[in-house]
mmCIF file of all heavy atoms in Angstrom:
data_model
loop_
_atom_site.group_PDB
_atom_site.id
_atom_site.type_symbol
_atom_site.label_atom_id
_atom_site.label_comp_id
_atom_site.label_asym_id
_atom_site.label_seq_id
_atom_site.Cartn_x
_atom_site.Cartn_y
_atom_site.Cartn_z
ATOM 1 N N LYS B 582 18.372 139.914 281.428
ATOM 2 C CA LYS B 582 18.642 138.452 281.720
ATOM 3 C C LYS B 582 20.051 137.991 281.476
ATOM 4 O O LYS B 582 20.781 137.317 282.187
ATOM 5 C CB LYS B 582 17.701 137.557 280.931
ATOM 6 C CG LYS B 582 17.831 136.130 281.231
ATOM 7 C CD LYS B 582 16.744 135.240 280.567
ATOM 8 C CE LYS B 582 16.948 133.786 281.075
ATOM 9 N NZ LYS B 582 16.019 132.905 280.318
ATOM 10 N N VAL B 583 20.692 138.534 280.379
ATOM 11 C CA VAL B 583 21.976 138.192 279.937
ATOM 12 C C VAL B 583 22.914 138.736 281.092
ATOM 13 O O VAL B 583 23.920 137.995 281.482
ATOM 14 C CB VAL B 583 22.461 138.809 278.618
ATOM 15 C CG1 VAL B 583 23.914 138.648 278.442
ATOM 16 C CG2 VAL B 583 21.511 138.087 277.555
ATOM 17 N N GLU B 584 22.805 140.004 281.557
ATOM 18 C CA GLU B 584 23.747 140.567 282.543
ATOM 19 C C GLU B 584 23.511 139.876 283.877
ATOM 20 O O GLU B 584 24.585 139.733 284.655
ATOM 21 C CB GLU B 584 23.372 142.120 282.660
ATOM 22 C CG GLU B 584 23.721 142.952 281.520
ATOM 23 C CD GLU B 584 23.089 144.281 281.517
ATOM 24 O OE1 GLU B 584 21.952 144.501 281.894
ATOM 25 O OE2 GLU B 584 23.844 145.209 281.161
ATOM 26 N N LEU B 585 22.263 139.495 284.286
ATOM 27 C CA LEU B 585 22.079 138.906 285.485
ATOM 28 C C LEU B 585 22.679 137.399 285.551
ATOM 29 O O LEU B 585 23.392 136.988 286.468
ATOM 30 C CB LEU B 585 20.588 138.745 285.806
ATOM 31 C CG LEU B 585 19.984 140.094 286.169
ATOM 32 C CD1 LEU B 585 18.411 139.963 286.141
ATOM 33 C CD2 LEU B 585 20.301 140.407 287.671
ATOM 34 N N GLU B 586 22.625 136.645 284.459
ATOM 35 C CA GLU B 586 23.150 135.463 284.335
ATOM 36 C C GLU B 586 24.688 135.409 284.332
ATOM 37 O O GLU B 586 25.214 134.567 284.956
ATOM 38 C CB GLU B 586 22.540 134.615 283.230
ATOM 39 C CG GLU B 586 21.179 134.207 283.311
ATOM 40 C CD GLU B 586 20.605 133.585 282.058
ATOM 41 O OE1 GLU B 586 21.142 133.721 280.975
ATOM 42 O OE2 GLU B 586 19.601 132.870 282.060
ATOM 43 N N ALA B 587 25.158 136.494 283.687
ATOM 44 C CA ALA B 587 26.668 136.642 283.696
ATOM 45 C C ALA B 587 27.226 136.900 285.100
ATOM 46 O O ALA B 587 28.262 136.302 285.501
ATOM 47 C CB ALA B 587 27.038 137.773 282.676
ATOM 48 N N ARG B 588 26.512 137.882 285.827
ATOM 49 C CA ARG B 588 26.959 138.117 287.152
ATOM 50 C C ARG B 588 26.748 136.886 288.117
ATOM 51 O O ARG B 588 27.708 136.655 288.936
ATOM 52 C CB ARG B 588 26.145 139.139 287.751
ATOM 53 C CG ARG B 588 26.580 140.481 287.267
ATOM 54 C CD ARG B 588 25.535 141.650 287.423
ATOM 55 N NE ARG B 588 25.930 142.677 286.452
ATOM 56 C CZ ARG B 588 26.607 143.777 286.782
ATOM 57 N NH1 ARG B 588 27.137 143.876 288.001
ATOM 58 N NH2 ARG B 588 26.960 144.558 285.887
ATOM 59 N N HIS B 589 25.874 136.129 287.885
ATOM 60 C CA HIS B 589 25.646 134.833 288.658
ATOM 61 C C HIS B 589 26.844 133.889 288.368
ATOM 62 O O HIS B 589 27.429 133.375 289.345
ATOM 63 C CB HIS B 589 24.334 134.275 288.243
ATOM 64 C CG HIS B 589 24.037 132.946 289.072
ATOM 65 N ND1 HIS B 589 23.932 131.784 288.478
ATOM 66 C CD2 HIS B 589 23.901 132.787 290.373
ATOM 67 C CE1 HIS B 589 23.611 130.876 289.510
ATOM 68 N NE2 HIS B 589 23.554 131.406 290.659
ATOM 69 N N GLU B 590 27.237 133.737 287.092
ATOM 70 C CA GLU B 590 28.314 132.884 286.848
ATOM 71 C C GLU B 590 29.618 133.267 287.384
ATOM 72 O O GLU B 590 30.366 132.596 287.903
ATOM 73 C CB GLU B 590 28.471 132.867 285.151
ATOM 74 C CG GLU B 590 29.519 132.027 284.654
ATOM 75 C CD GLU B 590 29.026 130.476 284.519
ATOM 76 O OE1 GLU B 590 27.846 130.288 284.736
ATOM 77 O OE2 GLU B 590 29.879 129.629 284.342
ATOM 78 N N ILE B 591 29.871 134.673 287.266
ATOM 79 C CA ILE B 591 31.101 135.296 287.862
ATOM 80 C C ILE B 591 31.175 135.090 289.243
ATOM 81 O O ILE B 591 32.247 134.784 289.692
ATOM 82 C CB ILE B 591 31.091 136.800 287.439
ATOM 83 C CG1 ILE B 591 31.291 137.042 286.072
ATOM 84 C CG2 ILE B 591 32.156 137.538 288.313
ATOM 85 C CD1 ILE B 591 31.113 138.464 285.529
ATOM 86 N N GLU B 592 30.126 135.203 290.080
ATOM 87 C CA GLU B 592 30.252 135.190 291.579
ATOM 88 C C GLU B 592 30.304 133.696 291.986
ATOM 89 O O GLU B 592 30.961 133.424 293.006
ATOM 90 C CB GLU B 592 29.041 135.867 292.216
ATOM 91 C CG GLU B 592 29.018 137.251 292.076
ATOM 92 C CD GLU B 592 27.914 138.077 292.756
ATOM 93 O OE1 GLU B 592 27.514 137.539 293.938
ATOM 94 O OE2 GLU B 592 27.277 139.023 292.271
ATOM 95 N N LEU B 593 29.794 132.820 291.160
ATOM 96 C CA LEU B 593 29.935 131.416 291.512
ATOM 97 C C LEU B 593 31.368 131.057 291.237
ATOM 98 O O LEU B 593 31.974 130.206 292.089
ATOM 99 C CB LEU B 593 29.035 130.513 290.718
ATOM 100 C CG LEU B 593 27.520 130.514 291.024
ATOM 101 C CD1 LEU B 593 26.642 129.848 290.046
ATOM 102 C CD2 LEU B 593 27.343 129.856 292.413
ATOM 103 N N GLU B 594 31.995 131.483 290.187
ATOM 104 C CA GLU B 594 33.422 131.091 289.863
ATOM 105 C C GLU B 594 34.257 131.723 290.894
ATOM 106 O O GLU B 594 35.255 131.091 291.310
ATOM 107 C CB GLU B 594 33.684 131.645 288.441
ATOM 108 C CG GLU B 594 33.111 130.884 287.412
ATOM 109 C CD GLU B 594 33.387 131.373 285.977
ATOM 110 O OE1 GLU B 594 34.031 132.486 285.838
ATOM 111 O OE2 GLU B 594 33.047 130.716 284.928
ATOM 112 N N ASP B 595 33.973 132.945 291.305
ATOM 113 C CA ASP B 595 34.770 133.693 292.288
ATOM 114 C C ASP B 595 34.717 132.821 293.603
ATOM 115 O O ASP B 595 35.759 132.662 294.357
ATOM 116 C CB ASP B 595 34.302 135.053 292.568
ATOM 117 C CG ASP B 595 35.054 135.857 293.538
ATOM 118 O OD1 ASP B 595 36.110 136.417 293.237
ATOM 119 O OD2 ASP B 595 34.602 135.941 294.715
ATOM 120 N N TYR B 596 33.595 132.355 294.047
ATOM 121 C CA TYR B 596 33.423 131.608 295.272
ATOM 122 C C TYR B 596 34.330 130.338 295.176
ATOM 123 O O TYR B 596 35.124 130.070 296.138
ATOM 124 C CB TYR B 596 31.971 131.236 295.447
ATOM 125 C CG TYR B 596 31.941 130.336 296.758
ATOM 126 C CD1 TYR B 596 31.631 131.026 297.928
ATOM 127 C CD2 TYR B 596 31.811 129.014 296.632
ATOM 128 C CE1 TYR B 596 31.394 130.243 299.144
ATOM 129 C CE2 TYR B 596 31.560 128.220 297.742
ATOM 130 C CZ TYR B 596 31.456 128.810 299.015
ATOM 131 O OH TYR B 596 31.349 128.101 300.249
ATOM 132 N N ALA B 597 34.146 129.585 294.195
ATOM 133 C CA ALA B 597 34.960 128.340 294.007
ATOM 134 C C ALA B 597 36.537 128.568 293.973
ATOM 135 O O ALA B 597 37.264 127.933 294.650
ATOM 136 C CB ALA B 597 34.512 127.656 292.796
ATOM 137 N N MET B 598 36.822 129.627 293.227
ATOM 138 C CA MET B 598 38.233 129.880 293.258
ATOM 139 C C MET B 598 38.869 130.377 294.562
ATOM 140 O O MET B 598 40.023 129.928 294.975
ATOM 141 C CB MET B 598 38.570 131.046 292.122
ATOM 142 C CG MET B 598 38.585 130.526 290.734
ATOM 143 S SD MET B 598 39.034 131.662 289.531
ATOM 144 C CE MET B 598 37.689 132.860 289.512
ATOM 145 N N ARG B 599 38.109 131.160 295.376
ATOM 146 C CA ARG B 599 38.598 131.575 296.631
ATOM 147 C C ARG B 599 38.719 130.418 297.603
ATOM 148 O O ARG B 599 39.758 130.372 298.323
ATOM 149 C CB ARG B 599 37.597 132.646 297.190
ATOM 150 C CG ARG B 599 37.818 133.985 296.473
ATOM 151 C CD ARG B 599 37.006 135.094 297.135
ATOM 152 N NE ARG B 599 36.988 136.302 296.313
ATOM 153 C CZ ARG B 599 38.019 137.170 296.315
ATOM 154 N NH1 ARG B 599 39.178 137.055 297.154
ATOM 155 N NH2 ARG B 599 38.064 138.206 295.456
ATOM 156 N N ILE B 600 37.838 129.409 297.646
ATOM 157 C CA ILE B 600 37.830 128.310 298.470
ATOM 158 C C ILE B 600 39.024 127.462 298.037
ATOM 159 O O ILE B 600 39.706 126.816 298.804
ATOM 160 C CB ILE B 600 36.530 127.527 298.500
ATOM 161 C CG1 ILE B 600 35.348 128.366 298.807
ATOM 162 C CG2 ILE B 600 36.659 126.261 299.344
ATOM 163 C CD1 ILE B 600 35.467 128.971 300.294
ATOM 164 N N GLN B 601 39.208 127.347 296.614
ATOM 165 C CA GLN B 601 40.391 126.491 296.206
ATOM 166 C C GLN B 601 41.722 127.181 296.506
ATOM 167 O O GLN B 601 42.521 126.407 297.103
ATOM 168 C CB GLN B 601 40.255 126.611 294.631
ATOM 169 C CG GLN B 601 41.297 125.717 293.991
ATOM 170 C CD GLN B 601 41.414 126.149 292.386
ATOM 171 O OE1 GLN B 601 41.813 127.137 291.932
ATOM 172 N NE2 GLN B 601 40.966 125.057 291.642
ATOM 173 N N ILE B 602 41.799 128.402 296.467
ATOM 174 C CA ILE B 602 42.972 129.166 296.886
ATOM 175 C C ILE B 602 43.318 128.835 298.417
ATOM 176 O O ILE B 602 44.440 128.573 298.861
ATOM 177 C CB ILE B 602 42.941 130.597 296.640
ATOM 178 C CG1 ILE B 602 43.049 130.835 295.085
ATOM 179 C CG2 ILE B 602 44.174 131.312 297.297
ATOM 180 C CD1 ILE B 602 42.767 132.344 294.576
ATOM 181 N N GLU B 603 42.229 129.028 299.186
ATOM 182 C CA GLU B 603 42.380 128.789 300.683
ATOM 183 C C GLU B 603 42.806 127.471 301.003
ATOM 184 O O GLU B 603 43.666 127.119 301.903
ATOM 185 C CB GLU B 603 41.118 129.239 301.324
ATOM 186 C CG GLU B 603 40.913 130.734 301.449
ATOM 187 C CD GLU B 603 39.707 131.127 302.372
ATOM 188 O OE1 GLU B 603 39.076 130.159 302.866
ATOM 189 O OE2 GLU B 603 39.549 132.386 302.616
ATOM 190 N N GLY B 604 42.157 126.410 300.215
ATOM 191 C CA GLY B 604 42.543 125.093 300.567
ATOM 192 C C GLY B 604 43.955 124.831 300.205
ATOM 193 O O GLY B 604 44.761 124.056 300.877
ATOM 194 N N ARG B 605 44.555 125.369 299.111
ATOM 195 C CA ARG B 605 45.941 125.236 298.718
ATOM 196 C C ARG B 605 46.863 125.755 299.772
ATOM 197 O O ARG B 605 47.846 125.212 300.229
ATOM 198 C CB ARG B 605 46.199 125.832 297.422
ATOM 199 C CG ARG B 605 45.615 125.055 296.200
ATOM 200 C CD ARG B 605 45.730 125.727 294.887
ATOM 201 N NE ARG B 605 45.302 124.940 293.779
ATOM 202 C CZ ARG B 605 45.189 125.348 292.593
ATOM 203 N NH1 ARG B 605 45.465 126.684 292.269
ATOM 204 N NH2 ARG B 605 44.919 124.628 291.549
ATOM 205 N N ILE B 606 46.505 127.062 300.286
ATOM 206 C CA ILE B 606 47.272 127.681 301.317
ATOM 207 C C ILE B 606 47.371 126.870 302.625
ATOM 208 O O ILE B 606 48.299 126.655 303.192
ATOM 209 C CB ILE B 606 46.741 129.183 301.580
ATOM 210 C CG1 ILE B 606 46.791 129.914 300.310
ATOM 211 C CG2 ILE B 606 47.555 129.699 302.757
ATOM 212 C CD1 ILE B 606 46.047 131.245 300.415
ATOM 213 N N LEU B 607 46.131 126.420 303.015
ATOM 214 C CA LEU B 607 46.131 125.573 304.322
ATOM 215 C C LEU B 607 46.928 124.338 304.131
ATOM 216 O O LEU B 607 47.596 123.983 305.064
ATOM 217 C CB LEU B 607 44.567 125.347 304.572
ATOM 218 C CG LEU B 607 44.331 124.484 305.775
ATOM 219 C CD1 LEU B 607 44.773 125.252 306.994
ATOM 220 C CD2 LEU B 607 42.834 124.293 305.967
ATOM 221 N N GLY B 608 46.749 123.761 302.978
ATOM 222 C CA GLY B 608 47.560 122.415 302.738
ATOM 223 C C GLY B 608 49.081 122.677 302.841
ATOM 224 O O GLY B 608 49.757 121.871 303.429
ATOM 225 N N ASP B 609 49.439 123.732 302.311
ATOM 226 C CA ASP B 609 50.837 124.114 302.181
ATOM 227 C C ASP B 609 51.389 124.531 303.647
ATOM 228 O O ASP B 609 52.394 123.984 304.145
ATOM 229 C CB ASP B 609 51.038 125.425 301.345
ATOM 230 C CG ASP B 609 52.450 125.965 301.430
ATOM 231 O OD1 ASP B 609 53.460 125.189 301.349
ATOM 232 O OD2 ASP B 609 52.605 127.169 301.708
ATOM 233 N N ILE B 610 50.535 125.273 304.373
ATOM 234 C CA ILE B 610 51.026 125.681 305.797
ATOM 235 C C ILE B 610 51.047 124.387 306.735
ATOM 236 O O ILE B 610 51.971 124.218 307.420
ATOM 237 C CB ILE B 610 50.012 126.697 306.288
ATOM 238 C CG1 ILE B 610 50.177 128.107 305.565
ATOM 239 C CG2 ILE B 610 50.399 126.970 307.926
ATOM 240 C CD1 ILE B 610 49.203 129.076 305.969
ATOM 241 N N ALA B 611 50.029 123.555 306.509
ATOM 242 C CA ALA B 611 49.864 122.385 307.291
ATOM 243 C C ALA B 611 51.077 121.505 307.253
ATOM 244 O O ALA B 611 51.673 120.907 308.189
ATOM 245 C CB ALA B 611 48.555 121.621 307.183
ATOM 246 N N ARG B 612 51.366 121.265 305.896
ATOM 247 C CA ARG B 612 52.496 120.238 305.514
ATOM 248 C C ARG B 612 53.891 120.757 305.617
ATOM 249 O O ARG B 612 54.819 120.050 305.953
ATOM 250 C CB ARG B 612 52.187 119.694 304.296
ATOM 251 C CG ARG B 612 51.127 118.681 304.312
ATOM 252 C CD ARG B 612 50.865 118.013 302.873
ATOM 253 N NE ARG B 612 50.208 116.742 302.890
ATOM 254 C CZ ARG B 612 49.938 115.958 301.883
ATOM 255 N NH1 ARG B 612 50.172 116.452 300.681
ATOM 256 N NH2 ARG B 612 49.249 114.843 301.989
ATOM 257 N N ASN B 613 54.016 122.070 305.280
ATOM 258 C CA ASN B 613 55.409 122.598 305.191
ATOM 259 C C ASN B 613 55.784 123.501 306.356
ATOM 260 O O ASN B 613 56.911 123.888 306.430
ATOM 261 C CB ASN B 613 55.537 123.494 303.911
ATOM 262 C CG ASN B 613 55.295 122.574 302.601
ATOM 263 O OD1 ASN B 613 55.820 121.533 302.647
ATOM 264 N ND2 ASN B 613 54.686 123.106 301.630
ATOM 265 N N HIS B 614 54.850 123.844 307.216
ATOM 266 C CA HIS B 614 55.210 124.595 308.434
ATOM 267 C C HIS B 614 54.850 123.874 309.788
ATOM 268 O O HIS B 614 55.671 123.670 310.612
ATOM 269 C CB HIS B 614 54.432 125.929 308.371
ATOM 270 C CG HIS B 614 54.907 126.798 307.239
ATOM 271 N ND1 HIS B 614 55.883 127.769 307.246
ATOM 272 C CD2 HIS B 614 54.313 126.830 305.918
ATOM 273 C CE1 HIS B 614 56.037 128.371 306.023
ATOM 274 N NE2 HIS B 614 55.087 127.806 305.311
ATOM 275 N N VAL B 615 53.577 123.401 309.854
ATOM 276 C CA VAL B 615 53.090 122.962 311.109
ATOM 277 C C VAL B 615 53.645 121.544 311.316
ATOM 278 O O VAL B 615 54.280 121.209 312.391
ATOM 279 C CB VAL B 615 51.536 122.831 311.129
ATOM 280 C CG1 VAL B 615 51.017 122.170 312.376
ATOM 281 C CG2 VAL B 615 50.876 124.309 310.999
ATOM 282 N N ILE B 616 53.521 120.597 310.286
ATOM 283 C CA ILE B 616 54.010 119.209 310.678
ATOM 284 C C ILE B 616 55.581 119.157 310.877
ATOM 285 O O ILE B 616 55.957 118.556 311.841
ATOM 286 C CB ILE B 616 53.518 118.226 309.491
ATOM 287 C CG1 ILE B 616 51.917 118.037 309.614
ATOM 288 C CG2 ILE B 616 54.212 116.873 309.583
ATOM 289 C CD1 ILE B 616 51.437 117.166 308.484
ATOM 290 N N PRO B 617 56.305 119.712 309.996
ATOM 291 C CA PRO B 617 57.733 119.704 310.341
ATOM 292 C C PRO B 617 58.163 120.214 311.684
ATOM 293 O O PRO B 617 59.069 119.757 312.270
ATOM 294 C CB PRO B 617 58.396 120.660 309.232
ATOM 295 C CG PRO B 617 57.355 120.550 308.051
ATOM 296 C CD PRO B 617 56.020 120.479 308.736
ATOM 297 N N THR B 618 57.490 121.374 312.048
ATOM 298 C CA THR B 618 57.700 121.985 313.372
ATOM 299 C C THR B 618 57.325 120.935 314.578
ATOM 300 O O THR B 618 58.122 120.843 315.527
ATOM 301 C CB THR B 618 56.967 123.331 313.687
ATOM 302 O OG1 THR B 618 57.295 124.169 312.535
ATOM 303 C CG2 THR B 618 57.245 123.967 314.932
ATOM 304 N N ALA B 619 56.212 120.258 314.404
ATOM 305 C CA ALA B 619 55.868 119.329 315.428
ATOM 306 C C ALA B 619 56.684 118.095 315.331
ATOM 307 O O ALA B 619 57.122 117.591 316.499
ATOM 308 C CB ALA B 619 54.466 118.792 314.941
#
Side-chain angles (χ1 to χ4, degrees):
K582 185 178 180 181
V583 172
E584 290 169 318
L585 287 165
E586 289 178 342
R588 278 157 202 271
H589 184 244
E590 181 84 8
I591 289 165
E592 292 191 39
L593 287 170
E594 288 178 356
D595 179 83
Y596 178 86
M598 283 189 287
R599 289 185 187 278
I600 303 300
Q601 181 191 71
I602 290 167
E603 287 190 352
R605 287 174 172 170
I606 296 166
L607 180 58
D609 171 53
I610 295 174
R612 282 184 158 177
N613 295 322
H614 298 266
V615 174
I616 289 178
T618 302

